[in-house]
């Protein structure tokens, strides 16, 4: 340990002018054993600084480095952990507690003893020692000799001090004067002693010589003290005089403080009064406007709006604590309540009168619109009422019950008004539809009988849910009765598409129906949108961001508060959008019913009207949803669109059902089936209607259903046909279907178009083959027998040796079919084919040409069999290919 101490002194502390007094080998408690040294050091220069330095061995070599240092004056406490037992642990309390474990208890005690001595000498017992053995401290300080020990320690410490440069120079100078000092130290010491005695004697003489001066100085000090006593007496008298002045100044200061408090209180009181006067004072002009203001003129309405806003601002002022107890505030609040109730009552009564007055004016104009298919415009009524929109907002914020009552009154009145207008409007639309049917079809079905009960039923179905009309619409009812029979006749005729062609349908009537239906929707759309926009603006039902409860800033910067739920407004379970929707549903409750009735009538007049209605309704629903998906118009039209789509699906199902119920005559040829021409008519009409339509997908699905039903029922009829061969029925009808699809170019039916072509081709070929077996029947049977022998294994050149198929039998069969007989047989075949085929499809020449090709193919086949099975026999047919071509050509030209 001594070697380490000297090494540390030499390498670390001497370069820093420090002296190492004690050292202890320690490691931190509770961690890995990383040893280091705690060193107690003092500086060699004054003032002396005492430190505790942590020294650690470097990781890169065997030298030591200074890691951390603490000033001893920062040490608050030394805790030795246990004073009675040997324990190497101890704590040093600097800015935080450092816990150490010494390598031995002796080193710990020696280090703590050194710290205690340094504390005694330099810090005047500032550091507190805890759990340190009293024996350890007594060993450091023997009883009764603490001061001498301290001095001895200091001397001991001084022994270690080195000479500084100045001391070295002085000693060298003295030794140069006394050159023998080195050779004779005793003589040098004696000389120094004599010189010291001489100096002491000189000092004593000087002190004795200055005794007289000391006496004079003492006398002067006495005189100075007497002067000081005199001055102190005067100061005491001055202090007594100033004491009264101080008391007066204290009183003045107290008065000034009270005056300042009074001024402050007066200022605060003035602020409170100004606050109440500014924010709770309503001008006389506003009071007059609220009590007697004119709610009819624009100026009067503007004055009432300003007055109501001022009143609401006064009522919503956020009063400060204690304001409610003031009598003047209570009186003002009572006045505001009375003004609010009075003006709310006046406003409610006036708006009720406005509703009634405007309603009478609007009802008087109804007769102007009954003849035309137009709805009365309500823009004048809306324009007049929107002047009261701000007052309605005020009423909503202050008197919610009156606001709700006024809303109900408006809804009830407008419901009755719109119900009359809409019923009249739809009645005109129905009569125009009936008139269209009467004009287009009336003459055709004028001779049909009409029973009274049927007429009554038809009239009721025409009116639907519209009820009875009075006044100017009575003549329209008569017109509806007159047109009911013609509509019934037309509707029944449309159900049987097989009995009429596309030319029999009145396209003009359908176009006119389309225009009427479009006009109905075009009239309803702006009416509903205008009314919904008015309700939102007039009743202030637009969506606003929710304000936080408590104080808010009004437009003028006035502190205000929201009324509590129980004061002016009750909590609403419905949102404002829900309120608009409920009001619109009540006002226009008859629109959906009337639309459904009109749709039912149009569908009854002509089931194909559902195509027009689906396109128009889809377009209007799409337009309404783009404007506002949640609007009443969008919702209602969407519901009606479901009905229209259902009617469209019913129309398609009806067409399929009619196909399944088709019965063909057993005595006449089939020809083109009625539902095939019906599909052609439907497709032509649908392609015209659905051009650029939004719901093209619905039509494509209907196409697929219809064409599959057509295919299935064509095969069904072909199988049931007795007069016309099955192949002819299939060939003609699938050729018609293929031609229709090729002409219309319906993309979703491309697969079905190819299928129709394939079926047409297959059945054409089958019919030609089956028909050609009849003109050369025996020849066909002969060669079929030849082919059968070959198939059984007989060689072709040996067939002629078969008894039933020898050359003589072949010649006999060939002689039965000379050219004249063949031509006669072909002529009979042509007549039979002509009898089988219908004129509408014009397939006779196509079939005849196919038979010519097939006959030539058979002729070549027969010649090939003769050449292979009867070689060298010289047997040939009685006619040539050229003869056959001439036969086919002459027969076709002759017919």
């Amino acid at each position: 340990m001594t070697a380490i101490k000297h090494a540390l002194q030499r390498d670390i502390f001497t370069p820093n002018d420090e002296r190492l007094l004690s050292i202890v080998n320690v490691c931190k408690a509770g961690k890995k054993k990383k040893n280091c040294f705690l060193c107690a050091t003092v500086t060699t220069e004054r003032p002396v600084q005492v430190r505790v330095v942590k020294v650690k061995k470097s990781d890169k070599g065997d030298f030591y480095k200074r890691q951390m240092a603490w000033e001893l004056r920062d040490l608050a406490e030394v805790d030795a952990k246990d004073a009675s037992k040997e324990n190497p642990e101890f704590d040093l309390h600097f800015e935080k507690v450092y816990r150490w474990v010494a390598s031995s208890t002796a080193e710990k005690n020696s280090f703590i003893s050194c710290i205690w001595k340094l504390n005694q000498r330099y810090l005047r017992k500032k550091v507190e020692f805890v759990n340190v053995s009293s024996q350890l401290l007594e060993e450091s300080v023997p009883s009764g000799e603490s001061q001498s020990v301290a001095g001895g320690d200091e001397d001991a410490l001084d022994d270690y001090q080195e000479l500084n440069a100045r001391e070295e120079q002085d000693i060298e100078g003295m030794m140069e004067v006394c050159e023998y000092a080195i050779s004779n130290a005793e003589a040098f010491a004696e000389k120094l002693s004599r010189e010291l005695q001489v100096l002491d004697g000189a000092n004593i003489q000087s002190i004795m010589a200055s005794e007289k001066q000391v006496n004079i100085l003492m006398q002067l000090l006495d005189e100075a003290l007497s002067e000081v006593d005199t001055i102190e007496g005067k100061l005491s008298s001055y202090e007594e005089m100033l004491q009264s002045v101080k008391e007066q100044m204290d009183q003045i200061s107290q008065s000034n403080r009270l005056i300042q408090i009074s001024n402050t209180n007066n200022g605060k009181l003035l602020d409170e009064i100004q606050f109440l006067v500014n924010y709770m004072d309503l001008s006389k002009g506003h009071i007059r406007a609220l009590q007697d203001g004119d709610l009819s003129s624009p100026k009067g309405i503007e004055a009432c709006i300003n007055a109501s806003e001022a009143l609401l601002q006064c009522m919503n002022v956020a009063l400060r604590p204690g304001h409610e107890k003031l009598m003047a505030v209570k009186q003002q609040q009572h006045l505001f309540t009375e003004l609010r109730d009075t003006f709310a009552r006046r406003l409610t009564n006036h708006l009720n009168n406005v509703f009634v007055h405007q309603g009478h004016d609007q009802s008087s104009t109804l007769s102007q619109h009954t003849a035309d298919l137009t709805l009365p415009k309500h823009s004048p009524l809306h324009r007049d009422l929107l002047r009261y929109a701000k007052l309605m907002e005020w009423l909503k914020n202050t008197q919610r019950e009156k606001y709700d009552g006024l809303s109900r009154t408006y809804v009830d009145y407008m419901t009755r008004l719109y119900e009359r207008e809409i019923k009249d409007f739809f009645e005109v639309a129905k009569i125009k539809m009936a008139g269209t049917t009467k004009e287009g079809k009336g003459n055709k079905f004028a001779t049909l009988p009409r029973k009274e009960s049927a007429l009554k039923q038809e009239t009721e179905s025409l009116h639907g849910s519209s009820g009875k009309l009075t006044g100017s619409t009575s003549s329209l009812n008569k017109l509806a009765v007159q047109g009911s029979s013609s509509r019934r006749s037309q509707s029944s005729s449309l159900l049987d598409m097989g009995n009429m062609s596309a030319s029999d349908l009145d396209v003009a009537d359908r176009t006119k129906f389309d225009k009427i239906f479009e006009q109905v929707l075009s009239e309803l759309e702006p009416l509903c949108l205008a009314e919904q926009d008015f309700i939102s603006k007039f009743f202030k039902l637009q969506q606003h961001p929710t304000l936080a409860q408590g104080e808010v800033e009004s437009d003028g910067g006035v502190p205000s508060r929201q009324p509590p739920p129980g004061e002016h407004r009750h909590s609403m379970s419905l949102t404002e959008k829900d309120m608009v929707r409920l009001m619109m549903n009540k006002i226009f409750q008859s629109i959906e019913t009337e639309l459904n009735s009109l749709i039912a009538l149009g569908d009854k007049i002509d089931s194909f009207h559902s195509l027009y209605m689906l396109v128009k309704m889809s377009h209007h629903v799409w337009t309404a949803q783009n404007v506002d998906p949640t609007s009443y118009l969008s919702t209602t039209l969407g519901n009606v669109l479901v009905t229209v789509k259902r009617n469209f699906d019913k129309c398609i199902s009806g067409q399929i059902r009619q196909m399944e119920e088709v019965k063909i005559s057993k005595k006449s040829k089939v020809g083109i089936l009625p539902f095939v021409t019906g599909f052609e008519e439907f497709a032509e009409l649908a392609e015209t209607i659905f051009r650029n339509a939004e719901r093209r997908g619905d039509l494509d699905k209907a196409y697929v259903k219809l064409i599959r039903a057509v295919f299935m029922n064509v095969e069904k009829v072909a199988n049931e046909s007795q007069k016309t061969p099955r192949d002819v029925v299939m060939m003609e009808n699938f050729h018609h279907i293929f031609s229709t699809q090729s002409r219309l170019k319906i993309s979703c039916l491309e697969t079905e178009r190819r299928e129709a072509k394939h079926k047409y081709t297959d059945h054409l070929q089958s019919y030609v083959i089956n028909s050609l077996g009849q003109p050369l029947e025996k020849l066909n049977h002969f060669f079929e027998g030849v082919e059968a022998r070959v198939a059984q294994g007989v060689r072709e050149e040996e067939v002629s040796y078969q008894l039933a198929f020898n050359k003589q039998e072949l010649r006999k069969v060939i002689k039965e079919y000379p050219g004249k007989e063949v031509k006669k047989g072909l002529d009979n075949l042509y007549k039979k084919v002509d009898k089988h085929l219908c004129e509408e499809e014009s397939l006779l020449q196509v079939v005849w040409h196919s038979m010519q090709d097939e006959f030539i193919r058979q002729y070549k086949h027969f010649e090939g069999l003769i050449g292979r099975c009867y070689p060298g026999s010289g047997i040939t047919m009685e006619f040539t290919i050229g003869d056959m071509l001439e036969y086919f050509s002459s027969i076709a030209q002759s017919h």
Side-chain angles (χ1 to χ4, degrees):
M1 182 63 71
T2 304
I4 294 174
K5 184 175 181 181
H6 285 295
L8 293 177
Q9 176 67 50
R10 180 184 70 250
D11 298 336
I12 296 177
F13 298 111
T14 298
N16 293 328
D17 295 332
E18 290 179 303
R19 190 147 47 88
L20 177 61
L21 302 182
S22 180
I23 186 172
V24 57
N25 187 6
V26 296
C27 63
K28 288 187 178 181
K31 292 189 178 181
K32 295 181 179 180
K33 301 300 181 179
K34 293 184 178 181
N35 292 337
C36 59
F37 295 100
L38 290 181
C39 305
T41 65
V42 295
T43 58
T44 57
E45 295 183 357
R46 297 183 183 276
V48 177
Q49 295 181 2
V50 185
R51 298 188 181 95
V52 176
V53 182
K54 178 182 176 183
V55 178
K56 183 179 179 182
K57 194 171 185 179
S58 176
D59 297 333
K60 298 180 180 179
D62 294 336
F63 61 92
Y64 294 92
K65 64 178 181 180
R66 185 185 188 121
Q67 189 175 16
M68 190 178 298
W70 298 274
E71 296 290 339
L72 190 63
R73 62 174 177 271
D74 295 334
L75 181 62
E77 181 180 317
V78 177
D79 187 0
K81 295 296 184 181
D82 196 338
S84 58
K85 298 180 181 180
E86 292 187 356
N87 188 354
E89 297 181 2
F90 66 97
D91 297 342
L92 300 180
H93 293 247
F94 289 101
E95 73 280 359
K96 66 177 184 179
V97 179
Y98 293 90
R99 305 183 186 279
W100 307 100
V101 178
S103 59
S104 65
T105 306
E107 287 185 14
K108 181 190 83 171
N109 293 337
S110 175
F111 183 76
I112 292 176
S113 175
C114 181
I115 293 296
W116 187 86
K117 292 178 182 178
L118 294 174
N119 176 50
Q120 291 291 323
R121 179 173 183 181
Y122 296 105
L123 300 181
R124 302 293 186 266
K125 303 180 181 180
K126 180 180 179 182
V127 182
E128 183 178 357
F129 290 82
V130 180
N131 296 324
V132 179
S133 173
S134 58
Q135 296 178 357
L136 180 63
L137 300 179
E138 288 176 357
E139 290 176 0
S140 300
V141 186
S143 58
E145 297 181 0
S146 61
Q147 185 65 32
S148 62
V149 169
D153 290 341
E154 183 178 357
D155 294 339
L157 292 175
D158 290 341
D159 291 342
Y160 292 98
Q161 293 182 358
E162 298 180 359
L163 294 177
N164 55 31
R166 184 175 179 181
E167 290 174 344
E168 290 179 356
Q169 292 177 0
D170 292 340
I171 292 174
E172 289 177 355
M174 186 179 298
M175 293 176 68
E176 289 177 356
V177 174
C178 301
E179 296 179 353
Y180 56 88
I182 299 175
S183 60
N184 191 356
E186 292 181 357
F188 179 68
E190 289 179 359
K191 181 179 180 181
L192 291 177
S193 178
R194 288 194 300 271
E195 290 181 356
L196 182 60
Q197 289 177 0
V198 172
L199 291 174
D200 289 340
N203 288 336
I204 292 173
Q205 290 179 359
S206 176
I207 291 171
M208 293 177 63
S210 60
E211 182 178 358
K212 184 177 180 180
Q213 294 179 354
V214 170
N215 291 333
I216 295 172
L217 180 60
M218 293 297 294
Q219 184 178 356
L220 293 175
L221 289 175
D222 291 337
E223 292 177 357
L225 288 174
S226 62
E227 290 294 331
V228 169
D229 292 337
T230 303
I231 293 173
E232 284 182 353
K234 291 182 179 181
L235 290 176
S236 298
S237 63
Y238 293 157
E239 185 177 359
E240 292 176 358
M241 294 171 63
L242 291 175
Q243 186 66 32
S244 61
V245 177
K246 179 183 179 183
E247 293 175 356
Q248 293 177 3
M249 293 301 297
D250 291 341
Q251 293 178 357
I252 293 173
S253 176
Q254 182 69 16
S255 299
N256 289 337
R257 190 173 64 83
L258 295 176
I259 292 172
Q260 185 176 3
I261 293 173
S262 176
N263 291 337
T264 303
N265 292 338
N266 290 335
K268 292 182 178 179
L269 180 61
L270 181 61
D271 292 341
E272 296 292 332
I273 294 174
Q274 287 179 347
F275 172 81
L276 295 176
V277 170
N278 291 337
Y279 297 143
M280 292 197 67
D281 186 26
L282 197 62
S283 67
K284 294 181 179 180
H286 288 337
I287 295 176
R288 283 195 301 271
L290 293 173
Q291 292 176 341
D292 304 315
D294 184 10
L295 289 171
S296 302
S297 63
K299 290 185 178 180
I301 294 173
E302 185 67 25
C304 290
I305 291 174
N306 296 333
S308 63
E309 291 176 350
L311 175 62
L312 183 62
Q313 183 177 338
C314 291
M315 296 185 70
N316 288 342
V317 169
L319 296 177
R320 298 168 185 171
H323 284 176
E324 295 85 354
K325 299 180 181 180
L326 296 176
M327 183 60 65
V329 173
K330 293 181 179 179
Q331 291 176 355
Q332 284 294 100
Q333 290 178 337
H334 180 67
L335 174 63
F336 295 157
T337 304
E338 289 183 348
L339 289 174
R340 180 197 64 191
D341 297 340
T342 301
F343 183 67
R345 187 166 53 253
R346 289 180 61 239
L347 178 61
T348 304
N349 294 335
H350 179 77
L351 289 178
N352 280 327
N353 294 333
V354 170
F355 294 160
V356 175
H357 177 69
Q358 292 289 346
H360 288 316
D361 292 346
Q362 196 72 19
S363 298
S364 63
T365 62
L366 283 177
S367 59
Q368 302 174 6
H369 300 272
T370 50
D372 300 328
L373 192 57
T374 57
L375 280 167
K377 305 301 181 185
H378 291 237
S379 53
L381 170 63
H382 294 165
R383 184 175 59 253
D384 293 340
L385 289 178
L386 282 177
R387 297 183 300 172
Y388 302 94
K390 290 186 177 180
L391 293 178
M392 283 298 296
E393 184 179 13
W394 176 85
L395 194 65
K396 178 182 178 181
N397 294 329
T398 57
Q399 292 280 352
R400 188 62 191 230
E401 294 181 358
K402 292 187 181 297
Y403 169 84
D404 293 338
L406 202 58
S407 302
R408 289 191 296 270
T409 302
Y410 175 82
V411 169
D412 293 339
Y413 162 72
M414 294 305 293
T415 300
R416 293 192 296 270
L417 177 62
Y418 277 117
E419 186 175 2
R420 292 196 306 270
E421 294 177 354
I422 291 170
K423 284 184 178 180
D424 292 348
F425 173 72
F426 275 94
E427 192 65 26
V428 173
K430 292 174 183 177
I431 300 306
K432 283 185 176 291
M433 288 183 184
T436 299
T437 306
K438 184 176 180 181
E439 294 169 6
K441 307 295 181 183
N443 296 332
K444 184 175 180 179
F445 304 102
T447 60
L448 293 176
R450 294 184 297 173
K451 294 183 179 180
E452 186 64 22
S453 59
L455 178 60
K456 182 178 180 181
Q457 181 181 1
E458 186 68 22
T459 305
E460 290 177 354
S461 67
L462 172 64
H463 285 270
S465 62
S466 300
K468 296 181 179 180
L469 298 177
T470 59
S472 61
T473 60
S474 59
S475 60
L476 300 177
N477 291 330
K478 297 178 182 179
L479 182 57
V481 174
Q482 295 172 3
S484 61
S485 177
S486 62
R487 290 195 311 279
R488 182 167 61 256
S489 302
Q490 181 195 16
S491 178
S492 62
S493 65
L494 287 172
L495 292 175
D496 188 7
M497 297 192 324
N499 296 332
M500 61 188 308
S501 63
S503 60
D504 293 328
L505 292 174
D506 194 349
V507 179
D509 280 356
R510 289 176 178 171
T511 304
K512 192 168 184 180
F513 170 82
D514 183 40
K515 292 181 179 179
I516 292 173
F517 192 73
E518 170 64 23
Q519 189 172 359
V520 169
L521 296 179
S522 299
E523 288 290 325
L524 288 176
E525 185 172 345
L527 181 73
C528 294
L529 292 177
E531 185 64 30
Q532 180 167 334
D533 182 63
F534 168 74
I535 288 175
S536 299
K537 292 179 180 178
F538 182 69
F539 291 99
K540 295 299 179 181
L541 294 178
Q542 295 96 337
Q543 293 292 325
H544 295 292
T546 304
L547 294 175
Q549 293 184 354
E551 291 191 2
V552 295
E553 285 290 327
S554 65
D555 294 339
V558 180
S560 61
R561 60 180 177 85
Q562 289 184 333
E567 181 177 347
H568 294 313
R569 63 175 66 181
H570 59 278
S571 59
M572 293 181 295
S573 60
L574 297 176
T575 63
E576 293 186 340
K577 278 193 174 182
D578 292 334
M579 292 181 63
V580 173
R581 186 169 59 254
L582 290 176
M583 293 174 72
M584 290 292 292
N585 287 337
K586 184 70 184 304
I587 291 174
F588 292 107
Q589 57 186 355
S590 61
I591 282 185
E592 187 170 346
T593 306
E594 293 291 344
L595 272 174
N596 288 331
S597 175
L598 185 68
I599 290 168
L601 175 61
D603 190 60
K604 191 170 185 179
I605 293 174
D606 186 349
S607 60
F608 283 0
H609 284 167
S610 60
L611 278 70
Y612 291 95
M613 291 187 287
L614 180 62
V615 172
K616 295 298 182 184
M617 189 61 69
S618 301
H619 176 70
H620 283 272
V621 168
W622 179 80
T623 304
Q625 288 181 345
N626 284 341
V627 175
D628 184 3
T630 61
S631 66
Y632 165 80
L633 180 66
S634 176
T635 305
T636 302
L637 292 183
N639 295 337
V640 176
L641 178 61
V642 174
T643 303
V644 174
K645 178 61 169 59
R646 191 179 297 118
N647 290 344
F648 175 75
D649 295 339
K650 192 186 301 180
C651 173
I652 301 302
S653 301
Q655 304 295 331
I656 296 174
R657 186 171 57 256
Q658 290 173 21
M659 297 178 194
E660 296 170 351
E661 295 173 355
V662 165
K663 301 295 182 182
I664 60 173
S665 175
K666 297 181 180 180
K667 297 181 180 180
S668 60
K669 59 184 177 183
V670 177
I672 303 302
L673 293 171
F675 54 80
V676 174
T677 56
F679 174 77
E680 179 183 10
E681 174 198 346
F682 175 84
E684 289 175 349
L685 180 64
E687 288 300 311
T688 303
I689 297 173
F690 277 81
R691 187 179 293 110
N692 301 325
E694 285 84 2
R695 295 181 70 94
R696 176 74 193 194
D698 294 331
L699 179 63
D700 292 343
K701 294 178 183 177
Y703 274 148
V704 175
K705 291 181 181 179
L706 285 174
I707 199 64
R708 300 316 306 179
V710 169
F711 282 10
M712 182 179 65
N713 286 282
V714 166
E715 294 185 5
K716 175 186 173 184
V717 173
N719 293 331
E720 296 175 355
S721 174
Q722 297 178 3
K723 184 72 174 176
T724 307
R726 179 180 184 275
D727 288 331
V728 173
V729 177
M730 298 287 285
M731 174 185 65
E732 289 183 329
N733 284 279
F734 279 107
H735 178 267
H736 191 86
I737 294 171
F738 170 72
S739 301
T740 300
Q741 294 183 1
S742 298
R743 175 169 52 86
L744 296 179
K745 294 180 175 61
I746 302 173
S747 59
C748 66
L749 298 181
E750 183 62 27
T751 303
E752 286 75 10
R753 187 184 73 87
R754 290 194 294 267
E755 183 180 352
K757 181 179 180 181
H758 179 69
K759 288 181 179 289
Y760 153 68
T761 306
D762 288 349
H763 288 285
L764 172 62
Q765 190 69 21
S766 175
Y767 176 66
V768 168
I769 293 173
N770 293 333
S771 299
L772 280 179
Q774 297 173 3
L776 306 177
E777 184 175 0
K778 292 182 180 180
L779 194 60
N780 277 332
H781 289 326
F782 181 85
F783 282 111
E784 285 177 356
V786 172
E787 290 176 342
R789 293 293 187 275
V790 173
Q792 292 173 0
V794 179
R795 297 176 60 183
E796 291 182 342
E797 57 271 16
E798 296 178 357
V799 173
S800 61
Y801 299 106
Q802 299 286 327
L803 182 62
F805 302 102
N806 56 24
K807 297 177 182 179
Q808 289 76 13
E809 292 294 328
L810 176 60
R811 289 190 180 97
K812 188 187 298 185
V813 173
I814 290 175
K815 285 182 179 181
E816 293 183 8
Y817 293 102
K820 185 177 180 181
E821 290 296 327
V822 171
K823 181 177 181 181
K824 183 179 179 180
L826 290 175
D827 187 64
N828 292 332
L829 177 62
Y830 185 90
K831 293 177 181 179
K832 194 165 188 176
V833 171
D834 187 24
K835 188 181 296 184
H836 287 162
L837 299 179
C838 65
E839 298 179 357
E840 293 88 350
E841 205 61 23
S842 302
L843 288 177
L844 180 58
Q845 295 303 321
V846 177
V847 174
W848 189 243
H849 189 272
S850 298
M851 286 185 171
Q852 174 182 302
D853 295 340
E854 180 63 23
F855 198 89
I856 293 173
R857 188 190 66 78
Q858 288 186 9
Y859 180 88
K860 292 180 179 179
H861 179 63
F862 293 158
E863 283 189 336
L865 285 175
I866 293 172
R868 292 193 303 272
C869 297
Y870 305 93
S873 63
I875 301 174
T876 59
M877 304 290 287
E878 294 289 331
F879 54 91
T880 63
I881 292 179
D883 296 334
M884 283 191 303
L885 294 175
E886 194 274 330
Y887 297 158
F888 276 96
S889 177
S890 61
I891 292 172
Q893 291 177 2
S894 63
H895 290 280

